[in-house]
Each structure stands twice: as C-alpha cells, then as structure tokens.
Amino acid sequence: MTTHDAVTRLLDARRLQGLLTNQSGRVIAQYSFLNSEGNSSLSHLADISGETPRRITRGDQSIGPAALSENGTIVFASKRKGEDGKDADSPSLWALPDNGEARKLADHEGGFSRIEVKGETIIVDGLLRAMPGLKERAKTLVELLAPKWFRIGGYWYPRGGIPIDVFW
C-alpha cells in the first residue's frame, strides 16, 4: 500500500468522538467522518446498544455537544435545517426521544458549550442567551427528561463576564 493510499484510507475512516451511556444500558456513539466532497468533517450519532449499530441522526450538519438521559432521550446541539428547508444560521438545542423524531427546543446564536445529564440533573451551558422564551424551553426539557434538577448556565457580559446559574 502506498502512502497516498494509507492516508486516503485514514481520511475515509469514521472516528469515534465519544460515547453516551445511561443506566438502562443504552449506548450512543458520536462519530465523525469526511463529507462527500472531502473538504469538511461531519459528526452524527448512532445507537450501538443492539446487535446492529443504527444511525439515529441524519442530514448534512454536524452534531455538537450531546447528552443521554435515563429515559433514553438524547439532547444535542446542531445547525439543522428548519421547517422552511433552509440551513440554520446558528446552533439549536434538540431533543430526540428513544423512539421518535428530533424536536427543536431552543435557538442560540453563540452555540452551546456543554450539555450534560448527571443523575437527575440536566446542565445546559449557553442557554441563558437564548432569550426570549427561556421559561417555555426549560419547561419542555423538564417535561421530556423529568429531571429532579435543571441547571441553566451562562454568562452576562457587562465587563469581563459574570457567571450566572439558574436552578429549576
């Protein structure tokens, strides 16, 4: 095999970015690969809990931070197409139930730096700047995931940044 062939095979390979797990045994893999033009990397999610891995996200946009709840719902950030068929300008927060379609929860111009589920607590950093409608979006997440605690983290930038945490 030539060096060129070896490099080409490496570039064509899918790369594991991380694993999401919950106590019920569900395992979700986040992986990346080159797009069809070979000029940028995309990432998607696949359920690898069963005998055959099953891709559970689709489209030509990458998945950003993601978390898996105990009830099987995946919360993730992505710049997906809207109902109008156009690509989003900024990342949105999405919820994907164990069986069903992804549902958009919030838009956010600056992106989401972290989405995490720790036991009965959900942590979403960056959501505070997703105003207006934060309360309704938070209620939707709470309905979907049924956490005991929901922490929304963000920064207010009057001079240098003041961290703000809201617990619900």
Side-chain angles (χ1 to χ4, degrees):
M1 177 183 312
T2 68
T3 302
H4 179 271
D5 291 340
V7 170
T8 300
R9 287 185 71 189
L10 281 172
L11 290 173
D12 288 342
R14 298 185 185 279
R15 291 168 181 80
L16 181 65
Q17 291 180 292
L19 295 173
L20 308 172
T21 61
N22 65 10
Q23 291 182 355
S24 65
R26 189 168 187 206
V27 182
I28 304 298
Q30 186 168 2
Y31 63 95
S32 64
F33 56 95
L34 283 177
N35 67 1
S36 58
E37 291 83 32
N39 57 11
S40 70
S41 181
L42 297 175
S43 63
H44 283 283
L45 300 174
D47 190 332
I48 59 172
S49 305
E51 300 213 4
T52 306
R54 179 178 57 95
R55 183 172 162 179
I56 55 178
T57 54
R58 58 184 182 272
D60 57 358
Q61 296 295 333
S62 286
I63 302 299
L68 176 62
S69 72
E70 286 307 315
N71 72 4
T73 299
I74 301 166
V75 180
F76 64 94
S78 180
K79 290 170 73 175
R80 304 178 91 191
K81 291 186 186 295
E83 292 177 6
D84 58 4
K86 296 180 181 176
D87 287 339
D89 293 328
S90 60
S92 297
L93 188 64
W94 295 82
L96 178 62
D98 192 6
N99 291 310
E101 289 295 314
R103 191 166 106 186
K104 184 162 65 168
L105 303 175
D107 291 312
H108 182 44
E109 188 176 316
F112 299 91
S113 57
R114 177 175 64 147
I115 301 169
E116 192 174 341
V117 177
K118 286 186 171 184
E120 296 179 330
T121 303
I122 304 166
I123 302 167
V124 181
D125 286 346
L127 192 59
L128 279 178
R129 291 176 51 203
M131 302 285 191
L134 176 63
K135 186 175 181 180
E136 290 75 26
R137 292 179 181 114
K139 281 183 181 180
T140 302
L141 267 176
V142 169
E143 287 170 11
L144 282 169
L145 304 175
K148 185 173 183 177
W149 294 100
F150 180 42
R151 174 184 162 212
I152 304 169
Y155 284 89
W156 180 48
Y157 292 99
R159 289 189 180 97
I162 299 170
I164 301 170
D165 286 319
V166 177
F167 287 89
W168 186 327

